[in-house]
């Protein structure tokens, strides 16, 4: 059976491929440890589960949700943005639930790109920044994130002909996969670029709550002028251990959110209202302590990974945010994929090849910190022995 040409344009989704390899090895009896996917190993915090249980038992959540979202959820997101980032949002027009950030980022391509239009995409970056444009008839333009620039894209290096056709800009800090925090002035430069070239900025805020060493991540929307040109996609997946719940919000520019709503009202029927009520419970100040405790766990694991890598001769700056360590592959391997294949074959440890996040990720690999300490230490020991 032949799929559409647009589907054939994109490579298989990285983690689908990894999951297939892990399953094959495990079926053959190998004890594989995966440091591949960024999926928290700790359960969702109990106040969120308790709120969800009550919400599921409430018949008012059982009907089709509206795509606008429950007032409780929109108000909770607005309250969180005020408390956490000092950003004022109108819960009626500047906040809407999304069925995870992935859905939202993908659908923004459908809402804003026509054939021939361009989405500027951080490279390396979350794969939907490039798969989304390709699947919706647009084109991604890769903006390299390089260590020597603090993993900031160089807007001045984007050709004028590309900027003429650019409609969207996707980036994210704290960054997946590099662990970088937002370099000084980058958000202001994005606002300026968007104003000059009529681009919608999409800041993917999946990791603002997952930070270390006292670093506090800002929202893009706290940048002067940001709300005029952009939106932020805030995900509850990582900081609240809610990846399976599919709970996120798009916040910011009301006109952009209106277009996203119009698109979605033709595609899906919104986020289960019990999940919205659970999300509202997650964003209360009482949960801040759980998030801090989780960050302490990740910080400890981050230090263990950085120490083990340095003992193996690979020196990395410990990231101040996200749940990843991004490191150069050792000499002697022709590509990151070849090194990761080697680690899987000989140490039965899954790590992600940087090239899978874009061509500028080549030469690097990513370790996720979402594996219990004992298994993480065992995996690091296996890699060290290699
Ligand atoms: C940068 C980034 N954006 C978005 C997502 C997906 O978030 P969600 O679970 O809300 O779809 C991820 C997950 O790994 C991510 O790393």
């Amino acid at each position: 059976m032949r799929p559409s040409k647009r589907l054939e344009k994109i490579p298989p989704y990285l983690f689908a491929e990894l999951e297939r390899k892990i399953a094959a090895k495990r079926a053959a009896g190998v004890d594989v440890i995966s440091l591949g996917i960024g999926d928290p190993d700790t359960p969702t915090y109990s106040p969120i589960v308790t709120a969800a249980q009550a919400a599921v038992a409430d018949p008012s959540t059982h009907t089709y949700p509206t795509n606008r979202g429950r007032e409780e959820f929109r108000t909770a997101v607005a309250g969180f943005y005020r408390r956490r980032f000092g950003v004022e949002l109108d819960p009626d027009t500047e906040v809407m639930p999304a069925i995870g950030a992935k859905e939202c980022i993908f659908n923004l391509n459908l809402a804003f790109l026509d054939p021939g239009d361009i989405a500027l995409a951080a490279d390396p970056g979350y794969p939907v920044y490039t798969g989304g444009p390709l699947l919706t008839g647009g084109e991604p333009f890769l903006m390299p994130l390089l260590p020597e620039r603090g993993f900031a894209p160089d807007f001045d290096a984007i050709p004028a002909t590309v900027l003429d056709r650019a409609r969207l800009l996707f980036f994210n800090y704290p960054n997946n996969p590099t662990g970088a925090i937002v370099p000084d002035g980058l958000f202001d430069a994005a606002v300026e670029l968007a104003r000059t070239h009529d681009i919608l900025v999409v800041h993917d805020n999946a990791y603002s709550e997952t930070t270390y060493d006292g670093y506090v991540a800002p929202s893009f929307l706290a940048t002067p002028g940001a709300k005029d040109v952009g939106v932020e996609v805030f995900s509850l997946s990582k900081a609240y251990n809610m990846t399976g719940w599919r709970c996120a919000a798009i916040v910011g520019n009301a006109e952009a959110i209106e277009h996203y709503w119009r698109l979605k009202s033709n595609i899906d029927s919104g986020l289960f209202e019990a999940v919205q009520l659970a999300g509202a419970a997650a964003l209360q100040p009482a949960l801040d302590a759980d998030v801090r405790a989780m960050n302490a766990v990740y910080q400890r694991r981050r230090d263990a990974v950085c120490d083990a890598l340095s003992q193996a001769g690979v020196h990395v700056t410990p990231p101040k945010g996200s749940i990843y360590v991004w490191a150069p592959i050792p000499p002697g391997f022709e590509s990151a994929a070849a090194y990761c294949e080697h680690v899987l074959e000989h140490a039965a440890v899954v790590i992600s090849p940087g090239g899978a996040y874009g061509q500028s990720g080549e030469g690097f690999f990513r370790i996720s910190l979402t594996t219990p300490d004992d298994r993480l230490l065992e995996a690091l020991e296996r890699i060290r022995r290699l």
Side-chain angles (χ1 to χ4, degrees), residues 331-354:
F333 290 90
E334 66 179 27
S335 67
Y339 175 62
C340 294
E341 200 70 48
H342 176 78
V343 174
L344 179 60
E345 277 313 310
H346 300 284
V349 173
V350 180
I351 53 177
S352 308

Side-chain angles (χ1 to χ4, degrees), residues 100-102 126 129 172 176 204 206-207 235 237-238 246 324:
K102 190 177 191 178
Y126 184 55
Y129 306 161
N172 105 284
N176 174 19
D204 173 8
Y207 298 99
S235 172
S237 283
K238 311 291 177 161
R246 314 312 303 130
Y324 310 107

